[in-house]
Amino acid sequence: MNATPDEQLPAVSVIMPVLNEERHLRAAVSAILEQEYDGEMEVVVALGPSTDRTDEIAAELVAETAGHRARVQTVPNPTGRTPAALNAAIKASSHPIVVRVDGHGILSPGYIATAVRLLEETGAQNVGGIMHAEGENDWEHAVAAAMTSKIGVGNAAFHTGGEAQQAETVYLGVFRREALEQQGGYNEEFIRAQDWELNFRIREAGGLIWFSPELKVRYRPRPSVKALAKQYKDYGRWRHVVARYHEGSINLRYLAPPTAVCAIAAGVVVGALVTPWGFVVPAGYLAAITAGSLPAGKGLPLKARLQIPVALATMHMSWGWGFLTSPRSLAKRVIASRRPAVLSEA
């Protein structure tokens, strides 16, 4: 995005929470530094207590960009929690536009320029786009296909795409700083779903959240079944917290995974103890995800296509189990920390 001689682009702060991101951190930061944007830019990396080479790589990036137009700086995040990292990075940054990027996310070319333009055109407080899952091996290709499938967990526009429109929440987000400061940043009790909760407060205050398919961030899926299962168990656990926090925010697509877990468990018990007909339920589920994986796997290698049902089952079952076992005490603690939306004085 090039500014005309009489136009000055707003300065941008890119904030990045990282923990054990040695595999992707350098590529993620490089994609930021390579953005074609004529406005001033800074990158603030909030470092959690990593056990790999993340801190070492971050220090290299700081040294390499010292004195450059867009330089990297770091701030500590001793808790390792994402919302605390985001708040620390926001506090350490200074520019009027704040771009959130994760340590395993790769901004597409022109992302920042497009987001700044969309903020101006729409008057939104936050804009975001597509979480474009992209793997590096057969398993990650399978997970990426499962995540973007209509039979994955949910069909939010930032997973499957769609037309530009007003949204409840968006992936990551590019914010006006005034909106973040007005709402006091992220609620640090939300270990997951902190984006949804912040965007909820922004919307309650009358702000607009805008989704646009023009914005795309390449996302690297979890590298193993175990890691994927933990990720989706956490998603389900915290989605139930959100449902208790904000009554009316749940819908049928969110109830599908826990319903599937209960139905399959009941089918196995009935099949083992009462009648073999009980096994029809888990067999039907396996048949459904196998059939559903066929269109999702178009163009992928055979090994990747064969693993899509495994990825789908892992996502569904882990999400559903997390939702079912989410403790009410967690929701009570989060509800007690509820921050009312702060209305603008203007």
Side-chain angles (χ1 to χ4, degrees):
M1 184 175 186
N2 298 316
T4 60
D6 59 345
E7 177 188 11
Q8 185 172 359
L9 292 172
V12 169
S13 296
V14 182
I15 60 172
M16 180 183 288
V18 299
L19 179 68
N20 293 325
E21 290 288 359
E22 69 173 1
R23 185 180 172 196
H24 302 301
L25 179 58
R26 178 169 287 277
V29 172
S30 294
I32 297 167
L33 300 177
E34 292 167 5
Q35 292 283 305
E36 292 186 2
Y37 185 73
D38 289 340
E40 187 179 346
M41 187 164 62
E42 64 179 352
V43 182
V44 182
V45 180
L47 296 172
S50 296
T51 56
D52 61 7
R53 294 184 58 252
T54 296
D55 287 12
E56 181 182 336
I57 294 169
E60 292 171 358
L61 291 166
V62 170
E64 291 166 10
T65 60
H68 290 199
R69 180 184 67 84
R71 70 184 189 89
V72 178
Q73 60 177 305
T74 62
V75 292
N77 173 36
T79 70
R81 294 181 172 185
T82 299
L86 291 166
N87 284 341
I90 291 169
K91 185 177 180 181
S93 65
S94 57
H95 296 326
I97 304 298
V98 179
V99 180
R100 176 182 171 177
V101 183
D102 282 345
H104 45 270
I106 309 295
L107 297 186
S108 58
Y111 180 93
I112 291 176
T114 302
V116 171
R117 173 176 59 80
L118 289 171
L119 285 172
E120 179 63 27
E121 290 178 354
T122 64
Q125 301 299 306
N126 181 20
V127 299
I130 294 175
M131 178 184 182
H132 182 65
E134 203 173 85
E136 295 180 332
N137 54 46
D138 289 330
W139 166 250
E140 292 180 1
H141 287 313
V143 176
M147 290 179 68
T148 55
S149 169
K150 294 289 186 181
I151 63 169
V153 178
N155 59 353
F158 64 78
H159 282 305
T160 60
E163 297 181 357
Q165 59 186 302
Q166 182 174 341
E168 285 190 356
T169 191
V170 290
Y171 179 54
L172 302 180
V174 177
F175 298 83
R176 298 179 189 272
R177 176 177 293 277
E178 61 195 32
L180 293 173
E181 292 181 344
Q182 180 180 319
Q183 299 305 326
Y186 291 85
N187 184 334
E188 295 186 12
E189 290 295 335
F190 274 84
I191 309 306
R192 296 286 185 272
Q194 65 274 158
D195 299 289
W196 182 93
E197 193 276 336
L198 174 59
N199 286 316
F200 173 70
R201 281 185 283 132
I202 291 174
R203 288 188 290 108
E204 270 199 328
L208 174 66
I209 310 299
W210 189 259
F211 165 81
S212 173
E214 291 184 75
L215 299 173
K216 184 181 291 186
V217 181
R218 285 161 51 203
Y219 169 86
R220 298 301 189 195
R222 295 297 192 271
S224 67
V225 172
K226 181 179 179 181
L228 184 68
K230 181 181 185 306
Q231 178 187 21
Y232 274 80
K233 180 185 175 184
D234 286 346
Y235 283 168
R237 174 186 177 101
W238 281 91
R239 193 61 186 80
H240 204 165
V241 171
V242 168
R244 288 165 169 161
Y245 176 90
H246 177 49
E247 294 181 7
S249 68
I250 202 70
N251 57 42
L252 291 178
R253 79 169 184 263
Y254 290 123
L255 295 177
T259 299
V261 170
C262 292
I264 290 169
V268 170
V269 171
V270 170
L273 300 180
V274 181
T275 171
W277 284 104
F279 291 117
V280 168
V281 176
Y285 170 77
L286 291 175
I289 62 172
T290 300
S293 71
L294 296 178
K298 285 184 178 178
L300 293 179
L302 178 60
K303 285 186 177 181
R305 295 202 303 271
L306 292 175
Q307 294 181 82
I308 294 175
V310 178
L312 285 168
T314 301
M315 291 160 59
H316 292 161
M317 297 298 101
S318 301
W319 202 103
W321 180 250
F323 189 94
L324 291 169
T325 58
S326 181
R328 189 172 293 274
S329 59
L330 178 59
K332 287 181 177 178
R333 189 177 79 238
V334 168
I335 291 169
S337 73
R338 187 190 298 270
R339 297 181 182 182
V342 180
L343 302 177
S344 173
E345 297 180 358

